[in-house]
Amino acid sequence: MFEFGDKYRGAYDRSVEVVKSYYPSVSSYKDELLWGALWLYKATDNMNYFKYIINNSHEFGGTGWAITEFSWDVKYAGIQILASKLLMDGNHEDHHTLNILEQYRSKAEHYLCSCLGRNNDSNVELTPGGLLFIRKWNNMQYVSTSAFLLTVYSDYLRNANQKLNCNGEM
């Protein structure tokens, strides 16, 4: 399936136009390919998938998009968090690879710091009751996934004996 998606690239809502008004693809398909390659690498240890996420990191937006949401359509924060785990595991010594993984981590921490209200340029707000507020439409999907990613990353940091870096503050 991954090979098919990589070979026949394109946003699904271009071929199924009726869905555009209900579920338009904001992020297109590149985040989906990075997301798939990361999970396939994690499941198989096949270095071809790892090379894919390194070689396509910039062109596909994995290291370029500092995003403040994670959803069914926008996978960049999840990609960046999973790639950060690869950096924390310390199994990669090549300077170029480390640099790319560090860029993924920087974007992951931008997302997480936004969720924690520690970024100045964030669209993440809090309701009067303290709930994250990201989008008017179906906000709970963003709250749930943010809570999940914050928890996962917290575990990664604890296991690597590291701390979250928000704007130079640990």
Side-chain angles (χ1 to χ4, degrees):
M1 191 64 121
F2 177 81
E3 290 172 11
F4 177 86
D6 192 34
K7 183 175 180 180
Y8 300 102
R9 295 177 179 181
Y12 78 96
D13 62 357
R14 288 191 185 142
S15 60
V16 186
E17 298 233 354
V18 70
V19 301
K20 269 191 179 178
S21 63
Y22 301 104
Y23 294 105
S25 180
V26 175
S27 64
S28 193
Y29 64 90
K30 294 176 181 176
D31 60 328
E32 305 291 346
L33 290 172
L34 289 173
W35 183 242
L38 263 164
W39 280 108
L40 287 166
Y41 173 66
K42 188 171 174 65
T44 67
D45 285 326
N46 181 328
M47 287 303 289
N48 290 326
Y49 295 119
F50 179 76
K51 290 175 187 171
Y52 190 93
I53 63 171
I54 296 300
N55 295 337
N56 292 295
S57 61
H58 183 70
E59 179 186 346
F60 284 16
T63 57
W65 281 39
I67 198 133
T68 55
E69 71 178 62
F70 178 69
S71 69
W72 65 271
D73 181 42
V74 183
K75 301 287 188 293
Y76 286 110
I79 293 161
Q80 294 156 351
I81 286 172
L82 277 176
S84 297
K85 171 82 164 87
L86 300 176
L87 178 66
M88 290 181 211
D89 288 345
N91 298 331
H92 308 284
E93 296 181 15
D94 173 73
H95 178 70
H96 174 70
T97 300
L98 288 173
N99 183 32
I100 298 292
L101 292 175
E102 193 59 55
Q103 290 175 48
Y104 274 117
R105 181 177 181 166
S106 172
K107 300 305 185 221
E109 293 195 349
H110 179 272
Y111 166 78
L112 297 164
C113 294
S114 293
C115 291
L116 295 171
R118 295 177 65 192
N119 276 352
N120 297 331
D121 63 343
S122 175
N123 69 321
V124 179
E125 300 175 28
L126 293 178
T127 67
L131 181 70
L132 288 175
F133 185 79
I134 298 169
R135 297 274 183 269
K136 287 181 182 179
W137 182 79
N138 198 7
N139 187 58
M140 288 307 293
Q141 74 170 307
Y142 303 104
V143 172
S144 301
T145 56
S146 295
F148 174 72
L149 291 179
L150 283 160
T151 302
V152 166
Y153 201 76
S154 174
D155 289 346
Y156 290 171
L157 290 171
R158 185 180 59 247
N159 292 336
N161 198 29
Q162 296 179 15
K163 296 187 182 220
L164 180 64
N165 181 358
C166 292
N167 301 316
E169 298 176 21
M170 299 293 221

